[in-house]
Amino acid sequence: MKLTIGNLHVRDVVLGSENSFADGILTIDKEGAVEYLMAEDDHITSLDIVIARPGDDTRIVPVIETIEPRVRMDGRCLFPGVTGEVVPCGDGELKALKDCCVTVVGKEWGSFGDGVIDMGGEGAKHTEFSKLINICLVGDTDEEFERHEQQKKNHALRWAGHRFAEWLGQVAKDVEPDDTEVYEFDPILKREGARKDLPNVAIVLQPQSQMEALGYNDLLYGWDMNRFLPTFMSPTEVFDGAIISGSFMPASSKWATWQFQNFPTIKELFKYDGIEYNFVGVIMSNLNVALDQKERSAVMVRNMALNLGVDFAIVTEEGYGNPDTDYVRCQVILEDAGIKVVGIANESDGRDGFGQPLVVLDEKLKALVSCGNVGELIELPACKTVIGNLESLNRDGLSGSWGYDEVLGKSARDDGSIIMEDNNWFCGDCASGNSLKIMVDF
């Protein structure tokens, strides 16, 4: 499979009366976008588009989702099973609007899996999305059945974000790209002989899928991953819209759709493929609730890895807590099969840093990469501008904030300053491989 991505680098985004792209300036027909998106879903009651740029003294909360605007040159939909019919992903040509993202924001209400992006100041260091121009789609819906629930599906707004990214990407169709990325994934059984002397490497992805009620989990070709069993995939499918983010996962641990589209660890594996190792692809696993479900997935991952002849594997999870059981079990069963494993995940050490980092530990875990501590406290001053609703930090059960603490008070203070846990930074811990953090020796 061969996937070609033509990149158009966006220097600025402005709102106007038509869609266009020239000299690095993306102009968005705001009225046309809002009219289109509201016509697509009767549950949306209000929508606005607001631009937030790197360095702005702006706080965005509650952030629901981020997506990279793209267009498929052959006319196929961008997200099969979501923005169109189920069609193949992973090959062909597309164009992408780089250095920007569609950012879906709740106008009033937040949820457990929603987070914070600071575009400037100290807070900007905590999430990579501060480096992008955020095209904020700020909306509200009539989904009253979940209005006051901590866990929200955010269906109407999430789907609007994906439709908007696809609609906006059309502007790139006839524009010459600034640069091009090409990813070729040759059939495993038809690879050149020289590769037979190289070690075989695979990556095991464990996207969020532990909610047994449908509608909260990541989707694969539009299919809820709670109803999914591990399978083999081409890495180009991950880049090409086969999988989109769900609504349930503490925000710092989340893999937004933008991250699936740009998965840094997979890109790094492509970089040295055929040189230092033979990259044999993605084993797409899941995260489960019951122990027998966890064991079934681990066994299937093991058997796939053995049949692919994997010598080394990277295992990474979207989340922590209950999913740590799947994450650790998968590594142990691979190590028992003679496959060397590196794990990538954040950890939950508590506010003092002295807690147990993973719910489950095992002496067979020999190589773990930490993406940070979800319990770390952050205190930041007010920002000049808030996009969304700052009160959601206190009211709506976001994973890293609270309504009142006897010692710390409210997360969102009356003067606009905030105190919260790392948990609340949107995709802040980046287990997909693009973490902004470094380890410090003491």
Side-chain angles (χ1 to χ4, degrees):
M1 301 178 79
K2 181 178 178 180
L3 180 67
T4 302
I5 306 174
N7 295 321
L8 285 69
H9 292 279
V10 178
R11 293 192 293 110
D12 198 8
V13 179
V14 295
L15 301 176
S17 58
E18 63 178 7
N19 287 343
S20 66
F21 184 82
D23 300 322
I25 308 300
L26 174 63
T27 302
I28 300 174
D29 176 5
K30 177 178 176 178
E31 183 177 334
V34 170
E35 181 179 348
Y36 160 69
L37 293 170
M38 294 194 71
E40 286 290 309
D41 195 325
D42 292 339
H43 290 291
I44 299 174
T45 56
S46 69
L47 274 183
D48 193 14
I49 298 173
V50 183
I51 309 303
R53 299 173 177 85
D56 286 354
D57 190 13
T58 297
R59 180 163 291 145
I60 312 172
V61 61
V63 178
I64 295 169
E65 167 72 298
T66 56
I67 312 111
E68 185 169 86
R70 293 178 168 187
V71 60
R72 288 297 309 250
M73 300 302 290
D74 59 10
R76 281 184 277 177
C77 65
L78 203 58
F79 302 106
V82 176
T83 58
E85 296 297 320
V86 176
V87 293
C89 279
D91 58 357
E93 182 182 356
L94 57 82
K95 290 182 182 177
L97 295 172
K98 308 300 288 188
D99 308 314
C100 68
C101 61
V102 169
T103 301
V104 183
V105 187
K107 179 181 178 181
E108 297 292 340
W109 302 93
S111 179
F112 177 77
D114 300 344
V116 179
I117 297 172
D118 274 9
M119 298 302 297
E122 187 69 21
K125 298 177 182 179
H126 291 273
T127 171
E128 65 180 323
F129 294 105
S130 65
K131 298 179 179 180
L132 305 178
I133 301 170
N134 283 243
I135 306 166
C136 298
L137 188 66
V138 187
D140 200 6
T141 75
D142 66 359
E143 295 166 311
E144 297 294 334
F145 66 93
E146 65 176 14
R147 179 75 75 193
H148 301 287
E149 295 291 331
Q150 183 186 28
Q151 314 286 357
K152 297 180 179 63
K153 297 179 182 179
N154 284 323
H155 182 274
L157 292 180
R158 286 196 295 128
W159 257 237
H162 294 95
R163 291 190 186 103
F164 185 33
E166 185 173 73
W167 181 85
L168 193 56
Q170 293 289 328
V171 77
K173 194 163 189 178
D174 298 321
V175 181
E176 191 68 23
D178 297 308
D179 56 73
T180 301
E181 301 172 54
V182 179
Y183 298 99
E184 292 191 60
F185 189 72
D186 297 330
I188 301 295
L189 298 179
K190 294 185 178 181
R191 294 188 170 181
E192 60 189 32
R195 285 178 175 266
K196 293 181 179 179
D197 297 326
L198 297 174
N200 293 324
V201 176
I203 184 168
V204 180
L205 302 186
Q206 296 179 314
Q208 162 54 30
S209 55
Q210 68 185 109
M211 291 293 282
E212 294 182 331
L214 302 183
Y216 298 94
N217 300 301
D218 292 3
L219 299 181
L220 186 67
Y221 287 97
W223 185 262
D224 193 296
M225 291 196 69
N226 187 261
R227 300 296 187 264
F228 171 84
L229 289 171
T231 192
F232 169 82
M233 291 183 67
S234 165
T236 58
E237 293 177 88
V238 179
F239 292 157
D240 194 24
I243 184 167
I244 69 167
S245 178
S247 68
F248 172 75
M249 185 46 65
S252 70
S253 305
K254 186 187 288 290
W255 290 343
T257 297
W258 187 95
Q259 289 177 304
F260 285 115
Q261 293 171 301
N262 294 277
F263 217 94
T265 305
I266 297 178
K267 287 189 175 184
E268 193 72 11
L269 287 168
F270 266 114
K271 190 180 295 185
Y272 300 99
D273 179 33
I275 303 170
E276 296 184 4
Y277 46 74
N278 183 32
F279 181 25
V280 298
V282 175
I283 299 176
M284 188 65 72
S285 188
N286 56 354
L287 300 168
N288 302 281
V289 178
L291 287 174
D292 65 322
Q293 296 169 357
K294 295 174 186 290
E295 188 63 22
R296 182 180 300 111
S297 289
V299 166
M300 294 184 72
V301 168
R302 169 195 180 273
N303 291 347
M304 261 181 274
L306 288 174
N307 282 301
L308 287 168
V310 173
D311 300 299
F312 298 92
I314 296 171
V315 177
T316 182
E317 65 170 336
E318 182 186 3
Y320 68 94
N322 185 300
D324 290 345
T325 313
D326 305 76
Y327 172 65
V328 170
R329 180 59 188 141
C330 188
Q331 292 181 69
V332 169
I333 201 169
L334 289 173
E335 288 279 357
D336 285 343
I339 298 168
K340 301 300 181 184
V341 181
V342 174
I344 304 175
N346 57 13
E347 52 191 278
S348 182
D349 301 314
R351 294 177 183 176
D352 61 5
F354 287 96
Q356 180 169 307
L358 300 172
V359 168
V360 178
L361 293 171
D362 193 288
E363 61 184 10
K364 293 176 182 176
L365 303 181
K366 301 292 180 62
L368 295 178
V369 178
S370 170
C371 302
N373 174 22
V374 301
E376 182 180 352
L377 277 176
I378 298 105
E379 188 171 1
L380 292 167
C383 288
K384 180 180 179 181
T385 302
V386 173
I387 297 175
N389 184 356
L390 193 65
E391 182 61 23
S392 66
L393 290 173
N394 298 334
R395 183 193 61 207
D396 299 332
L398 276 65
S399 53
S401 54
W402 51 87
Y404 182 75
D405 181 278
E406 290 185 359
V407 176
L408 302 174
K410 297 187 294 185
S411 276
R413 297 162 175 157
D414 295 340
D415 64 357
S417 64
I418 62 172
I419 184 168
M420 65 181 196
E421 294 178 348
D422 172 87
N423 253 323
N424 262 5
W425 291 115
F426 188 74
C427 301
D429 293 338
C430 296
S432 55
N434 44 350
S435 178
L436 306 176
K437 302 174 183 179
I438 59 172
M439 299 296 291
V440 178
D441 292 327
F442 288 94

